[in-house]
Amino acid sequence: AILELLNNSSDKEFRALLPQILDMDNFYNWQIHSLLAGSHHQNFWHNMRWHFNNRSGKFQILPWDVLGEETPSTDVNYNPLVSRILSVPEFLHERNRRLWGYVADESNTTDDLRFFDETFNNARDAFLADRKKRFSNVEFVAESQKLREIMIRNREILKENLSFSRV
Protein backbone atom coordinates (compact mmCIF):
# COMPACT_ATOMS: atom_id res chain seq x y z
CA ALA A 1 0.00 0.00 0.00
CA ILE A 2 2.82 2.39 0.83
CA LEU A 3 4.70 1.59 -2.37
CA GLU A 4 1.52 2.08 -4.41
CA LEU A 5 0.86 5.40 -2.69
CA LEU A 6 4.48 6.53 -3.07
CA ASN A 7 4.76 5.69 -6.74
CA ASN A 8 1.28 6.05 -8.21
CA SER A 9 -0.72 8.69 -6.37
CA SER A 10 -1.33 12.35 -6.99
CA ASP A 11 -0.11 14.82 -4.38
CA LYS A 12 -3.70 15.26 -3.16
CA GLU A 13 -4.21 11.49 -2.77
CA PHE A 14 -0.84 11.08 -1.07
CA ARG A 15 -1.58 13.84 1.45
CA ALA A 16 -5.01 12.39 2.27
CA LEU A 17 -4.22 8.67 2.33
CA LEU A 18 -0.76 8.49 3.89
CA PRO A 19 -1.92 9.23 7.47
CA GLN A 20 -4.42 6.39 7.11
CA ILE A 21 -1.71 3.78 6.58
CA LEU A 22 1.42 5.28 8.19
CA ASP A 23 1.61 6.21 11.87
CA MET A 24 2.60 9.84 11.42
CA ASP A 25 3.65 10.36 15.06
CA ASN A 26 6.00 7.42 14.65
CA PHE A 27 7.26 8.82 11.34
CA TYR A 28 8.06 12.23 12.83
CA ASN A 29 9.83 10.65 15.81
CA TRP A 30 11.80 8.28 13.56
CA GLN A 31 12.79 11.08 11.20
CA ILE A 32 13.86 13.40 14.02
CA HIS A 33 15.87 10.57 15.57
CA SER A 34 17.59 10.01 12.21
CA LEU A 35 18.42 13.72 11.93
CA LEU A 36 19.79 13.92 15.46
CA ALA A 37 21.97 10.88 14.79
CA GLY A 38 22.95 12.22 11.37
CA SER A 39 21.89 8.90 9.89
CA HIS A 40 20.94 8.91 6.24
CA HIS A 41 21.79 5.23 6.17
CA GLN A 42 18.18 4.20 6.82
CA ASN A 43 17.18 4.54 3.22
CA PHE A 44 14.08 3.07 1.67
CA TRP A 45 15.69 0.21 -0.20
CA HIS A 46 17.70 -1.73 2.34
CA ASN A 47 17.81 -0.26 5.83
CA MET A 48 14.24 0.69 6.67
CA ARG A 49 12.53 -1.70 9.04
CA TRP A 50 8.76 -1.73 9.03
CA HIS A 51 6.27 -2.97 11.59
CA PHE A 52 2.55 -3.27 10.98
CA ASN A 53 0.78 -2.39 14.22
CA ASN A 54 -2.37 -4.48 14.38
CA ARG A 55 -3.88 -2.23 17.06
CA SER A 56 -3.65 0.97 15.04
CA GLY A 57 -3.88 -0.68 11.63
CA LYS A 58 -0.92 1.42 10.49
CA PHE A 59 2.71 0.90 9.57
CA GLN A 60 5.48 2.11 11.85
CA ILE A 61 9.16 2.59 11.07
CA LEU A 62 11.72 1.12 13.45
CA PRO A 63 15.19 2.65 13.89
CA TRP A 64 17.70 0.21 12.43
CA ASP A 65 21.39 0.37 11.59
CA VAL A 66 21.59 4.00 12.66
CA LEU A 67 24.97 5.49 11.84
CA GLY A 68 26.22 8.54 13.68
CA GLU A 69 27.48 11.13 11.24
CA GLU A 70 27.46 14.88 11.20
CA THR A 71 24.35 15.97 9.36
CA PRO A 72 24.72 18.91 6.98
CA SER A 73 21.04 19.77 6.68
CA THR A 74 17.51 18.94 7.73
CA ASP A 75 16.52 17.87 4.24
CA VAL A 76 18.93 15.56 2.47
CA ASN A 77 17.39 13.55 -0.34
CA TYR A 78 18.35 10.05 0.81
CA ASN A 79 15.01 8.27 0.92
CA PRO A 80 12.22 8.57 -1.67
CA LEU A 81 9.45 8.06 0.90
CA VAL A 82 10.86 10.68 3.29
CA SER A 83 11.35 13.11 0.38
CA ARG A 84 7.77 12.61 -0.79
CA ILE A 85 6.34 12.99 2.72
CA LEU A 86 8.33 16.16 3.35
CA SER A 87 7.27 17.59 -0.01
CA VAL A 88 3.82 18.05 1.57
CA PRO A 89 3.98 21.46 3.26
CA GLU A 90 1.80 20.40 6.21
CA PHE A 91 3.96 17.33 6.91
CA LEU A 92 7.19 19.32 6.57
CA HIS A 93 5.89 22.03 8.89
CA GLU A 94 4.86 19.47 11.51
CA ARG A 95 8.24 17.73 11.35
CA ASN A 96 10.02 21.09 11.69
CA ARG A 97 7.75 22.19 14.54
CA ARG A 98 8.47 19.01 16.49
CA LEU A 99 12.19 19.10 15.68
CA TRP A 100 12.46 22.72 16.79
CA GLY A 101 10.66 21.91 20.03
CA TYR A 102 13.22 19.22 20.70
CA VAL A 103 16.45 21.01 19.80
CA ALA A 104 15.39 24.33 21.34
CA ASP A 105 14.87 22.72 24.75
CA GLU A 106 18.33 22.45 26.30
CA SER A 107 17.07 19.96 28.89
CA ASN A 108 16.73 17.42 26.05
CA THR A 109 20.43 17.78 25.27
CA THR A 110 21.28 17.36 28.94
CA ASP A 111 19.05 14.28 29.25
CA ASP A 112 20.37 12.70 26.05
CA LEU A 113 24.01 13.24 27.02
CA ARG A 114 23.33 11.88 30.51
CA PHE A 115 21.76 8.77 28.95
CA PHE A 116 24.70 8.40 26.54
CA ASP A 117 27.25 8.74 29.33
CA GLU A 118 25.41 6.32 31.64
CA THR A 119 25.09 3.75 28.87
CA PHE A 120 28.75 4.12 27.94
CA ASN A 121 29.86 3.83 31.56
CA ASN A 122 27.65 0.80 32.20
CA ALA A 123 28.90 -1.03 29.10
CA ARG A 124 32.52 0.15 29.04
CA ASP A 125 34.03 -2.55 31.24
CA ALA A 126 32.34 -5.35 29.29
CA PHE A 127 33.54 -3.92 25.98
CA LEU A 128 37.06 -3.37 27.24
CA ALA A 129 37.24 -6.94 28.63
CA ASP A 130 36.08 -8.51 25.35
CA ARG A 131 39.14 -10.15 23.77
CA LYS A 132 37.44 -10.95 20.44
CA LYS A 133 36.12 -7.54 19.53
CA ARG A 134 36.82 -6.02 16.15
CA PHE A 135 38.29 -2.76 17.44
CA SER A 136 40.94 -2.02 20.05
CA ASN A 137 40.03 -0.46 23.38
CA VAL A 138 41.53 2.85 22.29
CA GLU A 139 39.44 2.82 19.09
CA PHE A 140 36.30 1.95 21.04
CA VAL A 141 36.74 4.83 23.49
CA ALA A 142 37.69 7.28 20.70
CA GLU A 143 34.70 6.27 18.54
CA SER A 144 32.35 6.59 21.50
CA GLN A 145 33.59 10.11 22.19
CA LYS A 146 33.30 10.97 18.50
CA LEU A 147 29.65 9.84 18.50
CA ARG A 148 28.98 11.93 21.61
CA GLU A 149 30.43 15.01 19.88
CA ILE A 150 28.34 14.28 16.77
CA MET A 151 25.20 14.26 18.94
CA ILE A 152 26.09 17.70 20.28
CA ARG A 153 27.07 19.14 16.89
CA ASN A 154 24.01 17.78 15.08
CA ARG A 155 21.73 19.55 17.51
CA GLU A 156 23.52 22.81 16.80
CA ILE A 157 23.41 22.28 13.04
CA LEU A 158 19.68 21.47 13.15
CA LYS A 159 19.00 24.46 15.38
CA GLU A 160 20.91 26.75 12.98
CA ASN A 161 19.04 25.33 9.97
CA LEU A 162 15.65 25.76 11.59
CA SER A 163 16.39 29.26 12.87
CA PHE A 164 16.23 30.47 9.26
CA SER A 165 12.62 29.33 8.88
CA ARG A 166 9.42 30.40 10.54
CA VAL A 167 8.81 27.19 12.45
Side-chain angles (χ1 to χ4, degrees), residues 19 23 31 50 54 60 94 114 122 126 149 153 163 165:
D23 179 333
Q31 222 277 310
W50 295 89
N54 287 323
Q60 296 177 321
E94 182 61 18
R114 183 179 318 121
N122 289 335
E149 293 302 316
R153 182 64 188 137
S163 69
S165 66

Side-chain angles (χ1 to χ4, degrees), residues 34-116:
S34 295
L35 289 170
L36 290 167
S39 182
H40 300 125
H41 188 65
Q42 298 177 91
N43 65 38
F44 192 71
W45 308 117
H46 74 282
N47 271 334
M48 281 187 93
R49 296 297 186 256
W50 295 89
H51 167 70
F52 186 78
N53 185 325
N54 287 323
R55 285 191 176 165
S56 68
K58 296 180 181 182
F59 284 98
Q60 296 177 321
I61 307 170
L62 306 174
W64 175 264
D65 202 13
V66 180
L67 298 178
E69 299 173 359
E70 193 168 291
T71 188
S73 161
T74 52
D75 297 309
V76 174
N77 186 9
Y78 69 100
N79 181 315
L81 179 62
V82 172
S83 295
R84 179 92 192 258
I85 292 171
L86 297 179
S87 74
V88 177
E90 297 88 351
F91 297 156
L92 176 63
H93 178 75
E94 182 61 18
R95 191 281 312 264
N96 287 348
R97 187 188 68 76
R98 291 177 185 216
L99 178 58
W100 178 257
Y102 196 86
V103 298
D105 184 347
E106 290 301 321
S107 68
N108 289 325
T109 302
T110 303
D111 289 345
D112 288 350
L113 291 175
R114 183 179 318 121
F115 177 79
F116 182 94

Side-chain angles (χ1 to χ4, degrees), residues 8 14 17 36 55 76 89 98 140-141 147-149 157 165:
N8 299 313
F14 186 82
L17 296 176
L36 290 167
R55 285 191 176 165
V76 174
R98 291 177 185 216
F140 167 71
V141 171
L147 291 173
R148 188 180 192 282
E149 293 302 316
I157 291 170
S165 66

